Amino acid sequence: MPRRRKAGNDNNRRALLHAVAHIELNAIDLAFDIIARFGNIMPRSFTDDWISVGDDEARHFALVNNRLKACESFYGDLPAHDGLWQSSKETAKNLPARLAVVPMVLEARGLDVTPAMIKQFEGSGDQISAEILQTIYADEIDHVRIGTKWFNFLADKVKKDPELWFHDLVRQYFRGHLKPPFNTAARTRAGMPTGYYQPLAVKKHKV
Ligand SMILES: [Fe+2]
Ligand SMILES: [Fe+2]
């Protein structure tokens, strides 16, 4: 006999999947938004890169939404915040700010928190959702890499130090500090050394 799960666990699982679906849906829009707004002022490979990101995000959304349906839910079943969309509106006219905030802060934050979510699904016996998140996690490293690559390209063009410029833009366009612990291994694989994010971290107060 299958073990009966507590309803609370199932609800938590659905809420977590719903939050991920919401992020992926926004990410599809953001990938194509960056092309529409800035593709004409950038090299052709910029557009190619973000089309591949948008393609990944659409696959991620479908994976998570299908999983939600298998768990007797669907995208739209729960309320969702609009923080991601707010950040994109605020950076709509500024490509370096958009790259700094969306892939290099928000998607990089995804790399920090996803391994714990994978463990949470595994712990609740939901191996299918854990594997979906594992797929997303691997692809997101590449998205952070693409964002960082183009940010560095712009920094080089205007002869700015990329790390210092990143600090300035994040302080200006992103509300709040970056939250440790950071997934340094994944961020390094994405081409983002600690010098970008460590100086922007929340300072922990000693008790
Ligand atoms: Fe994604
Ligand atoms: Fe992404």
Side-chain angles (χ1 to χ4, degrees):
M1 286 289 286
R3 213 155 42 111
R4 222 162 89 197
R5 283 200 194 91
K6 281 189 209 144
N9 279 348
D10 272 357
N11 284 340
N12 284 346
R13 216 153 49 98
R14 286 193 200 107
L16 206 51
L17 285 168
H18 195 278
V20 176
H22 181 63
I23 290 167
E24 300 300 343
L25 188 74
N26 275 283
I28 300 170
D29 290 340
L30 283 166
F32 293 103
D33 184 80
I34 206 169
I35 296 171
R37 287 184 192 280
F38 307 108
N40 62 335
I41 56 161
M42 295 294 281
R44 170 64 197 260
S45 54
F46 176 88
T47 293
D48 294 342
D49 276 349
W50 293 104
I51 284 187
S52 95
V53 171
D55 184 48
D56 285 349
E57 307 298 16
R59 197 161 33 81
H60 296 169
F61 176 77
L63 282 168
V64 180
N65 195 34
N66 288 340
R67 184 65 191 141
L68 268 175
K69 287 181 190 156
C71 298
E72 290 158 18
S73 183
F74 57 92
Y75 178 67
D77 197 16
L78 294 169
H81 67 86
D82 74 340
L84 201 54
W85 198 243
Q86 214 50 45
S87 306
S88 57
K89 269 163 76 178
E90 283 157 17
T91 57
K93 293 194 166 60
N94 187 324
L95 177 58
R98 169 68 64 87
L99 291 167
V101 172
V102 176
M104 295 175 75
V105 169
L106 298 172
E107 290 196 287
R109 170 86 183 142
L111 300 182
D112 301 336
V113 298
T114 305
M117 285 168 69
I118 293 170
K119 284 213 180 80
Q120 219 174 315
F121 280 120
E122 281 172 348
S124 68
D126 184 351
Q127 197 54 38
I128 298 175
S129 298
E131 277 166 26
I132 290 171
L133 283 198
Q134 191 61 54
T135 301
I136 291 176
Y137 176 69
D139 290 342
E140 293 302 332
I141 294 178
D142 206 41
H143 301 178
V144 176
R145 184 189 61 75
I146 288 170
T148 308
K149 178 183 90 176
W150 287 111
F151 181 82
N152 290 345
F153 170 88
L154 293 176
D156 189 53
K157 232 172 125 178
V158 294
K159 309 228 174 324
K160 281 186 188 271
D161 178 281
E163 291 184 0
L164 296 179
W165 197 27
F166 178 73
H167 301 161
D168 286 348
L169 289 167
V170 173
R171 286 191 183 110
Q172 200 181 333
Y173 287 91
F174 182 74
R175 286 182 218 114
H177 293 274
L178 308 193
K179 282 187 212 143
F182 299 110
N183 184 343
T184 306
R187 284 167 174 260
T188 304
R189 274 180 60 203
M192 198 194 284
T194 56
Y196 281 89
Y197 52 90
Q198 203 69 55
L200 297 168
V202 185
K203 299 229 176 5
K204 283 197 176 150
H205 297 289
K206 282 187 184 155
V207 184

